[in-house]
Amino acid sequence: MNKKIVLPIYDKLKKAKNVLHEKFGYSEFRPNQHEIIEQIISEKKLLAVMPTGAGKSLCYQIPAIISEKRTIIISPLIALIDDQVTSLKLLGVDVEKIHANQERQDNVNAWLRFKSGQSKIIYMSPERLMTEKMIAALKNLDIGLFVIDEAHCISKWGQSFRKDYEALSQIKNLFKKSNIVGFTATADETTRLDISKKIADGYAKIIVRGFDRPNLYLSIQIKRKWQNQLLEFLSPRKQLTGIVYCLSRKGTEKIADFLKENDFNAHAYHAGLEPSVRKKVQDSFMTEENMVVVATIAFGMGIDKADIRYVVHFNLPSSLEAYYQEIGRAGRDGLPSETLLIYGLDDLVLRRRMIEEGDADQEFKFRENKRLDYLLSYCETPDCRRKLLLNYFDDKIDTCNNCDNCFDPPKLIDGTELAQKLLSTIFQTGQYFGQVHVINVIRGLKEKNITEKGHNKLTVFGIGSKFSKEFWQSFIRQLLAFGHLRLNIQMYGSLQITSSGMEILKEDKVFQYKESNLEVSNKLKVVAYDYGVKKNILRILNSMNCEVEVVPAKTTTEQILSLKPNGIFLSNGPGDPE
């Protein structure tokens, strides 16, 4: 009987280096690639955390190519499977794939080639692998290695937790003689430990490649006039390739249509489109140099396009992990690229609601809310954004000089008194209302729902009238970011004061806020008598960014002045007010 020759580690590493050079065309491994490959070919369990663009796929492809045994690579991303299999075949590697988007006969043929040994490498989606029929068939083969890509999906703490992926934790018991390794671009310490437990009972070696992507410029804007903001950012980049991420399918189509109207080569992409349409958009994106795809978050996962020059988030992502992974699709060639996140408080309310209305247990919801808290802190920080982002992943830098806060540091102002006014307003209105009502009260607007509740008679009514609505929205976001307020989603997004917020209210703590160009209201406040004010006049005033308050015909001058107008009086009837 002929015995297989088992190469020593040194020879295997030499063979891996030859494959790197001869098949992939690289002369040297990138940082950590050599260490990861050595761990895999030594048949040791591993979790590798590597940022997008760090050469993650080579770390498992090369060991699979040089191995005498079969390798199964598991990915939830059909686009990644298709792209990597196509690329490997072009390099002369015998590799197959099985997933739901293929014709049944193509899947059958792929399986037969893998079973016969004609191909030693096969890519599978998790739902195809974890069936009784497939598991039984694989037990008759000599599987040397299981590779779990996007391994954060296997963890209940992962930002893309999937039930079908969690089932992969059974592999270690079903195939005890096989090695199992996991790869991901995003996982905090808790998630890393959970993944290690799932794939190797906690014994996987964890290798974390530095998370810093210094070529990415990080910036954040508060959502105001989104059309103007998008055009201001995208117009100078019209000849470049980029992605705009939206939370909803409807949003992708709305923004794509808007950009087309402004002469952009823009296309929507989401799961509701026909597969042929999605494929056409994806293929065009890979080949065209001036295309912007407006998409839900799935787009770009597994697509190996190195020259994406910008990524825009039109809504708040679900977590810093998701944000980091999505911006990581820009600048994979190492050249300067830009990221922009545009968000508003409505995004935060929506994200909280999505968490609370989900069917996960309370422990998971608590964890997801904490992730969102950290993301909000990142959005509102006056410090270096990259420093805060990397700190989340236990990576350290001093400053980056490549984010908006480093480029133009915000000025911090003592806002303790203003915070006390806002917190008092929330307290006096019972902590039952959201930002719209609270802001209207503090600005002294005599809305119907305010007067009906008697909130116009509170001592806090109008104490913040000289500040704009946008200013107070920004102020509330900063109080939320620093944990002085919380959103109660069960009470429809009501603002509630935390223990640290109460310390500010009691003058036991100070609060500093970022200077804003929205501090003093930029609206002209106009008082108009209701002698049948003409609608066209009101429409003109509103278009001029005026705040119009209609008062009874017999309102006295003293009463009008109490409304603190900063503009004109319109008299639409006979005589002057009494």
Side-chain angles (χ1 to χ4, degrees), residues 16 86 123 196 337 346 413 473 545:
T86 300
Y123 282 73
S196 175
S337 302
D346 288 346
I413 302 172
Q473 288 174 333
N545 203 32

Side-chain angles (χ1 to χ4, degrees), residues 6 28 54 65 73 118 151 159 190 200 227 300 307 375 379 394 402 440 476 494 518 528 534 543 545 560 575:
V6 179
E28 298 292 338
I65 291 170
I73 301 169
Q118 182 179 342
Q159 50 95 8
T190 302
Q227 295 95 333
D307 61 346
L375 176 61
C379 292
D394 305 310
N402 200 25
N440 286 344
I476 288 171
S494 63
L518 302 169
K534 293 182 179 179
S543 69
N545 203 32
I560 288 173

Side-chain angles (χ1 to χ4, degrees), residues 317-461:
S318 60
S319 65
L320 268 180
E321 290 97 334
Y323 170 76
Y324 176 81
Q325 188 173 56
E326 289 150 19
I327 63 172
R329 289 160 196 163
R332 294 179 64 174
D333 54 8
L335 296 178
S337 302
E338 296 173 271
T339 72
L340 172 64
L341 166 57
I342 304 173
Y343 90 104
L345 193 57
D346 288 346
D347 291 327
L348 181 62
V349 173
L350 179 58
R351 283 293 183 187
R352 295 282 191 216
R353 184 171 292 122
M354 290 171 68
I355 293 170
E356 294 303 325
E357 293 179 355
D359 57 2
D361 59 32
Q362 289 305 311
E363 186 181 12
F364 180 78
K365 290 180 180 180
F366 175 80
R367 185 76 180 180
E368 290 303 293
N369 274 309
K370 287 299 180 184
R371 290 182 192 276
L372 200 54
D373 288 343
Y374 204 101
L375 176 61
L376 180 61
S377 298
Y378 169 80
C379 292
E380 293 295 340
T381 184
D383 299 323
C384 171
R385 295 200 191 280
R386 182 171 272 100
K387 185 176 181 179
L388 188 65
L389 177 63
L390 295 179
N391 183 64
Y392 182 79
F393 295 106
D394 305 310
D395 205 351
K396 308 292 181 184
I397 62 166
D398 293 326
T399 54
C400 71
N401 298 316
N402 200 25
C403 73
D404 52 357
N405 284 347
C406 284
F407 186 76
D408 185 19
K411 181 181 177 182
L412 292 178
I413 302 172
D414 183 8
T416 307
E417 184 178 344
L418 287 175
Q420 289 168 345
K421 290 180 177 181
L422 182 72
L423 294 169
S424 294
T425 304
I426 294 169
F427 187 81
Q428 288 191 30
T429 52
Q431 302 189 67
Y432 288 123
F433 300 94
Q435 63 151 343
V436 173
H437 187 86
V438 169
I439 291 173
N440 286 344
V441 171
I442 199 170
R443 295 187 67 226
L445 301 187
K446 289 190 175 180
E447 302 283 346
K448 183 179 179 182
N449 63 334
I450 290 176
T451 56
E452 284 180 347
K453 292 176 175 62
H455 290 170
N456 58 315
K457 298 178 182 178
L458 297 174
T459 58
V460 293
F461 183 74

Side-chain angles (χ1 to χ4, degrees), residues 267-269 273-288 291 293 299:
H267 299 271
Y269 184 102
L273 298 172
E274 291 294 325
S276 59
V277 176
R278 295 202 304 272
K279 186 177 187 305
K280 184 178 179 181
V281 172
Q282 183 172 310
D283 291 345
S284 298
F285 184 75
M286 294 297 293
T287 56
E288 296 180 19
M291 182 171 168
V293 172
F299 182 79

